Amino acid sequence: MSIRIDYTNMLTPAVGSGGVDPQRLGGDLQERFARARDAVAARRAGGALGFLDLPHDLEAARGVAAVAESFGQWFENLVVVGIGGSALGARAVRDGLLGPLWNQWSDERREHYPRLYVLDNPDPSTVRALLDELDLTRTLFNVVSKSGSTAETMALYLVIEGRLRALVGDEAARGHFLFTTDPERGALRAIAEAEGIPALSIPPNVGGRFSVLSPVGLFPAAATGVDIEALLGGARTMAERCEAPALTENPAGLLATLLHVADSEYGRPIHVLMPYHDRLRAFALWYQQLWAESLGKHTPGGGHVGPTPLPALGAVDQHAQVQLFMEGPHDKVVVFVRAEPHGDPVAIPDHRGADETLGYLAGHTLAELLDAERRATTEALRRGGRPSLTIDAGRLDAEALGGLFLLWEYATVYAGALYGVDPLDQPGVELGKRLTYGLMGRPGFEAPEPGATDGTRAV
Ligand code: PA5
């Protein structure tokens, strides 16, 4: 089954005045989307949207698969070292397709594919705990950085390299690294060339948060046995659908347009992504970075725009955030995601002597319960006049996950055009990076005044 988006609950007949008049979908919103689609097509023609070429590049994917195979199953552990767009995709693929408990499975159950860890934050206690726990002599570190210079990633590389050199010696330490970086620029590429460390290339026109279908996401996926051609196949099918000129036939166009109009006209700048599937929890974090870093920007006219993406998980967040979604300010749209359960839906058995407080559960499955929770929350929001969308991913396999990635990437560039910002840059991240360099003593970078970062008033 292909991915479907149900937008009934975004429209006035379902949610009243908080919704969009369906007539507009064939009127002004179609016109607005047509302009956005033209702007995106022009950027693509100019070569800026490299992420749209990735699903077609089977040769590159086969190259990545060959590199993954060349490592064989000799490594017991694969650690992706990266941050932001260089980390979140790998985690989303791992949890989405292998499951969040992959690393706890036995070697046999994992068919001897390596455990897969993602090390992003340079938090010393996590880093120490992981490096102490793993058998480093059986561990491959895939250091991922598009720029090849991000302080967090490079510091982690230096720490890991130091540990390995002390353990196995300089020469053998090199055999524990694979880099994924820009084909020419950056310190990581220079180290790869100077020390003969193998390095996969991220196409220059593919930015971090749009790189999951490049070697950034494909290498860890291939190394753990994921069918990466199916991942790309699903993305290709979705890309085609997202090029349709009619708004109501274009899944990415519809997502972008309805979420943009909810923010800009209906006062709903908080865009919640709420999958009812543990395997998609990491996907929601990937979405959060994509939506936030791409759309939160200065406009050319000096304004400030950008929706706030909020990840949630059903049914867990029904006991945490849904109270706020139901009765708090009318400032949110919830995008639900449903997908079929993996494997056995787990029957709920009868309880001896159960009365009606428990008896109703027997004969159902946990999967049915989870889906009932999703449907009930959707309906409760609708009754409260609160709009929502539902993405039905069908069977959550490699094809579907590839489709979901491409859907949100395409929606992001359409939303960029609708908000009037460049979704591909992130100038707001730069000042913090420069001040970090200054604080860490990098020559040529200014550190903040003493006291400025710690404040002078505290209690
Ligand atoms: O999306 C982005 O561009 C960022 O989130 C980057 O992925 C992140 O800053 C890491 O950058 P790099 O891959 O250059 O180390």
Side-chain angles (χ1 to χ4, degrees), residues 30-290:
Q30 168 64 49
E31 281 165 31
R32 227 184 264 182
F33 169 62
R35 284 194 296 277
R37 185 173 165 275
D38 287 348
V40 167
R43 286 211 79 182
R44 187 178 188 182
L49 304 183
F51 75 91
L52 288 174
D53 300 327
L54 299 173
H56 299 275
D57 197 349
L58 290 183
E59 204 183 311
R62 285 176 193 146
V64 169
V67 173
E69 213 163 295
S70 73
F71 286 106
Q73 269 132 322
W74 188 81
F75 288 107
E76 282 175 2
N77 310 299
L78 169 60
V79 182
V80 171
V81 181
I83 198 162
S86 291
L88 292 158
R91 213 178 258 139
V93 174
R94 180 195 63 192
D95 289 6
L97 299 178
L98 307 173
L101 298 180
W102 173 256
N103 289 344
Q104 278 145 265
W105 287 4
S106 67
D107 292 346
E108 288 70 32
R109 194 163 177 196
R110 292 194 326 273
E111 297 177 30
H112 297 276
Y113 285 110
R115 297 178 199 90
L116 174 56
Y117 300 91
V118 179
L119 202 50
D120 48 8
N121 216 16
D123 180 324
S125 59
T126 311
V127 175
R128 240 185 7 250
L130 185 68
L131 298 184
D132 289 349
E133 180 63 25
L134 299 180
D135 176 355
L136 297 187
T137 65
R138 305 296 305 274
T139 302
L140 176 69
F141 292 90
N142 177 206
V143 184
V144 185
S145 175
K146 174 73 195 296
S147 62
S149 61
T150 301
E152 296 90 328
T153 304
M154 297 314 287
L156 287 173
Y157 165 64
L158 294 174
V159 168
I160 295 163
E161 201 225 15
R163 287 275 282 246
L164 275 166
R165 280 168 50 189
L167 190 69
V168 299
D170 291 4
E171 186 57 38
R174 288 187 201 118
H176 287 264
F177 288 104
L178 168 73
F179 296 163
T180 306
T181 189
D182 187 89
E184 288 176 7
R185 294 180 314 118
L188 215 47
R189 177 59 62 182
I191 298 170
E193 281 167 11
E195 305 201 6
I197 294 173
L200 296 166
S201 294
I202 309 168
N205 60 352
V206 174
R209 58 194 175 276
F210 291 89
S211 68
V212 61
L213 299 176
S214 79
V216 171
L218 294 185
F219 175 76
T224 47
V226 167
D227 182 350
I228 59 173
E229 291 199 23
L231 203 60
L232 297 181
R236 267 197 313 280
T237 308
M238 179 54 78
E240 224 169 274
R241 293 177 64 196
C242 295
E243 274 148 31
L247 177 59
T248 50
E249 283 168 26
N250 187 317
L254 209 53
L255 259 186
T257 305
L258 289 175
L259 290 174
H260 172 256
V261 84
D263 176 7
S264 57
E265 294 180 30
Y266 294 83
R268 297 182 179 276
I270 300 177
H271 298 164
V272 181
L273 188 69
M274 187 166 181
Y276 274 70
H277 213 300
D278 283 354
R279 287 183 171 228
L280 289 172
R281 189 179 216 161
F283 181 87
L285 295 175
W286 172 86
Y287 146 81
Q288 179 183 39
Q289 190 231 359
L290 181 70

